[in-house]
Amino acid sequence: METIDVRLLTPGDIALLREIDRSEQLDVEYTVESGRLVSARTDMYVPPWDPSGSGGHSVSGLIAFCRPVLDRGAQLLGAFDKDTIVGMALVEPSLRPGLGWLALLHVSNGRRRGGVGQALWSVAMSVARNSGASAMYVSATPTGSAVQFYLKQGCQLAGPDEIVPELFESEPEDVHLVCGL
Ligand SMILES: CC(C)(COP(=O)(O)OP(=O)(O)OC[C@H]1O[C@@H](n2cnc3c(N)ncnc32)[C@H](O)[C@@H]1OP(=O)(O)O)[C@@H](O)C(=O)NCCC(=O)NCCS
């Protein structure tokens, strides 16, 4: 594994998101059917974030999504290889009493499968645990890489009584997961 340094960032560092290359060639996607994960082949390219627009796939759109989460006290994390940022995460330690929320996790294309996501996840778990959380909630993009990553971390499908309604309503196509800390 490469040497990765995960640092606690300040809310003002959120603009570093533009340094992350989110592009990805997708070959597997998931749906949840009758409480079970079902995988299917796909062939779709996710382009880098739009650096200048304001839509949902733009850097400014993503920052607008993060702002209220940061305002509620979420912790921003950056994974660095020397001085180069290669991944970022945002964790809200107490979305509900005892429940943290991993609001964002991105590792740059070209730097994946080297343990960067795992390093960010470990620190995010510590941040939530240190704030008294006993579980972490993830609304995962329904792609092979994201879902398989979270399953590897020990996440399980959120049951009907574990689903966070406002997160489900905003991302109904996502795979909603919970992981005990
Ligand atoms: C999901 C993501 C953050 C994982 O980051 P990463 O740095 O590649 O993950 P790691 O290298 O720490 O992987 C840890 C383990 O997760 C699993 N995993 C990660 N990516 C995987 C993939 N594409 N396919 C299958 N398993 C995968 C593996 O078990 C892996 O261990 P291994 O490499 O020893 O087999 C990264 O793929 C990413 O940024 N994707 C685009 C953005 C995204 O979907 N973010 C999540 C939004 S909710």
Side-chain angles (χ1 to χ4, degrees):
M1 182 180 143
E2 53 202 307
T3 305
I4 294 299
D5 177 23
V6 176
R7 301 177 197 157
L8 302 182
L9 303 178
T10 66
D13 293 320
I14 190 67
L16 284 171
L17 274 170
R18 65 177 63 250
E19 308 292 322
I20 305 291
D21 176 3
R22 74 140 191 185
S23 67
E24 183 175 16
Q25 177 62 43
L26 303 179
D27 54 7
V28 175
E29 63 185 357
Y30 283 92
T31 51
V32 178
E33 294 172 22
S34 306
R36 297 181 57 192
L37 274 173
V38 177
S39 68
R41 304 296 300 177
T42 189
D43 180 7
M44 204 173 94
Y45 178 68
V46 180
W49 283 307
D50 175 359
S52 56
S54 60
H57 298 288
S58 66
V59 172
S60 61
L62 187 62
I63 291 175
F65 162 80
C66 292
R67 282 270 182 244
V69 187
L70 287 163
D71 289 346
R72 292 199 299 265
Q75 178 65 59
L76 189 63
L77 306 174
F80 291 81
D81 178 0
K82 301 190 178 67
D83 287 332
T84 302
I85 191 155
V86 294
M88 288 178 80
L90 180 64
V91 57
E92 182 166 351
S94 191
L95 180 69
R96 299 268 194 279
L99 183 67
W101 174 39
L102 188 72
L104 175 139
L105 174 65
H106 278 283
V107 173
S108 271
N109 194 354
R111 305 307 297 255
R112 297 180 187 141
R113 299 307 291 269
V116 177
Q118 169 78 66
L120 284 162
W121 171 263
S122 297
V123 177
M125 294 282 272
S126 299
V127 167
R129 200 182 293 115
N130 292 342
S131 294
S134 56
M136 183 82 91
Y137 194 92
V138 183
S139 172
T141 309
T143 57
S145 55
V147 172
Q148 289 176 42
F149 171 81
Y150 291 121
L151 293 178
K152 175 76 175 185
Q153 308 312 315
C155 292
Q156 297 184 325
L157 273 183
D161 54 345
E162 295 174 308
I163 292 276
V164 174
E166 68 268 27
L167 296 183
F168 189 80
E169 280 157 25
S170 65
E171 295 291 356
E173 309 291 321
D174 274 7
V175 175
H176 290 251
L177 301 160
V178 177
C179 187
L181 299 184

